[in-house]
Amino acid sequence: MKIKAIIIDDEVKSRELIHTFCKTYLEDKIQILDLCNSVDTAIVSIEKNNPDLIFLDIDMPEKNGFDLVNHFTNINFEIVFVTGHNNHFTESIKYCALNYLMKPINPLNLKSIIEQFEVKALEKKSLNRFEVLKSNLNSDKKSIVFPNNDGFKVALVSDIISCETENGNGKCKIETTKETIVVTKSLKEMLQLLPETIFIKVSGSAIINKKMVELFNSKDFNLRMNNGRTIKVSEKFYNKTELMDAISN
């Protein structure tokens, strides 16, 4: 049975290009049900056609791709986000392990995504990823959602003390006032998710919550956090005066 899909993009050329690639390279695997030029027309089409998969442009006028995600309480279809910009939105997508295509679109990348779709059955666990995305895109962040094998864990931003890389193994250790959380994400990805008004990067391996700093020792350039943890500050990032300014602002 073919995958039922809808293409959503405000640019005619982009819609037609994805459509053409699907017909040329994936005709035996995918059936394009509709081509939509806005979020509003896409919502109507999705509710009518019940697709398995949608190709969703992020950057559209009036309403963007994430407005469509937020419209649906339950998402029972897969989403391939399409974007021409590598920005905060793209980082959030990657963090949640969702599929995306960068413009200009490469048909090989499109084929790879469809192959992944065929291998992975639609699971309830997949829906959790969109809840993670919705939470982490919230501009008024009071919590951060961390996906794990069973679903996801929620931590209040105000409870996060520090984030540190673990021996360069691609994992990040997050210290909170309640527990330690280990996630398979880089420090750069964590910095994208944390409010810049509260968190600063003090070295190539550590981010700290400014409000959780208890003491700074200028002799060894160590910060002591209020949970007793000591974190080294890199002099490449701050001198003493710059660090004082960064923490007090």
Side-chain angles (χ1 to χ4, degrees):
M1 184 178 292
K2 289 186 179 182
I3 300 165
K4 298 184 297 179
I6 292 173
I7 300 168
I8 305 153
D9 197 314
D10 64 301
E11 297 179 3
V12 176
K13 289 183 179 179
S14 293
R15 294 197 302 271
E16 293 295 341
L17 184 62
I18 296 173
H19 192 196
T20 299
F21 281 165
C22 287
K23 287 178 66 177
T24 304
Y25 300 102
L26 299 160
E27 189 174 17
D28 60 330
K29 297 179 180 293
I30 191 166
Q31 176 188 0
I32 302 300
L33 302 176
D34 200 3
L35 281 72
C36 303
N37 64 2
S38 69
V39 168
D40 289 336
T41 57
I43 289 170
V44 173
S45 183
I46 290 168
E47 291 175 344
K48 175 184 176 182
N49 291 299
N50 191 29
D52 304 310
L53 172 70
I54 68 171
F55 295 96
L56 178 60
D57 185 26
I58 295 175
D59 303 298
M60 291 185 285
E62 297 182 8
K63 295 181 182 178
N64 64 33
F66 298 116
D67 291 320
L68 185 144
V69 174
N70 286 322
H71 172 82
F72 291 96
T73 304
N74 295 312
I75 297 176
N76 56 5
F77 48 85
E78 282 289 313
I79 298 177
V80 177
F81 289 97
V82 183
T83 180
H85 305 286
N86 194 355
N87 52 24
H88 164 65
F89 290 152
T90 314
E91 292 298 325
S92 292
I93 293 167
K94 289 189 287 187
Y95 185 84
C96 299
L98 297 165
N99 284 323
Y100 71 100
L101 286 168
M102 289 292 295
K103 296 179 182 179
I105 295 167
N106 185 327
L108 293 177
N109 294 337
L110 182 60
K111 288 180 70 175
S112 176
I113 284 174
I114 297 305
E115 288 169 1
Q116 290 174 30
F117 180 92
E118 289 182 311
V119 171
K120 180 185 65 179
L122 284 173
E123 302 172 341
K124 184 176 181 181
K125 187 169 64 176
S126 297
L127 306 185
N128 287 339
R129 296 176 301 146
F130 294 104
E131 295 305 317
V132 172
L133 179 67
K134 288 180 184 181
S135 177
N136 289 340
L137 286 170
N138 186 348
S139 59
D140 182 24
K141 278 183 188 166
K142 294 182 179 177
S143 62
I144 299 287
V145 183
F146 302 105
N148 58 31
N149 291 334
D150 300 318
F152 54 85
K153 178 178 284 291
V154 181
L156 291 175
V157 168
S158 58
D159 286 345
I160 297 174
I161 299 168
S162 62
C163 302
E164 297 174 84
T165 54
E166 287 205 326
N167 303 320
N169 61 2
K171 293 184 179 181
C172 194
K173 182 165 65 175
I174 300 155
E175 294 286 345
T176 78
T177 56
K178 298 180 176 65
E179 60 184 329
T180 299
I181 304 169
V182 178
V183 295
T184 311
K185 293 298 168 185
S186 69
L187 206 66
K188 178 181 176 182
E189 290 171 309
M190 288 304 307
L191 198 60
Q192 291 280 348
L193 291 173
L194 295 167
E196 60 183 12
T197 54
I198 302 174
F199 293 86
I200 58 171
K201 188 176 180 181
V202 295
S203 72
S205 60
I207 298 167
I208 58 106
N209 183 334
K210 297 189 293 184
K211 297 182 179 181
M212 299 290 191
V213 175
E214 190 173 85
L215 180 70
F216 172 66
N217 188 328
S218 59
K219 292 181 180 179
D220 55 16
F221 252 65
N222 281 336
L223 284 169
R224 189 173 72 206
M225 308 305 290
N226 64 2
N227 65 341
R229 190 170 187 83
T230 299
I231 295 177
K232 181 77 173 178
V233 177
S234 170
E235 294 185 55
K236 293 181 181 180
F237 283 70
Y238 295 103
N239 60 35
K240 178 181 176 181
T241 302
E242 291 169 340
L243 184 62
M244 288 175 63
D245 289 341
I247 290 175
S248 60
N249 289 333

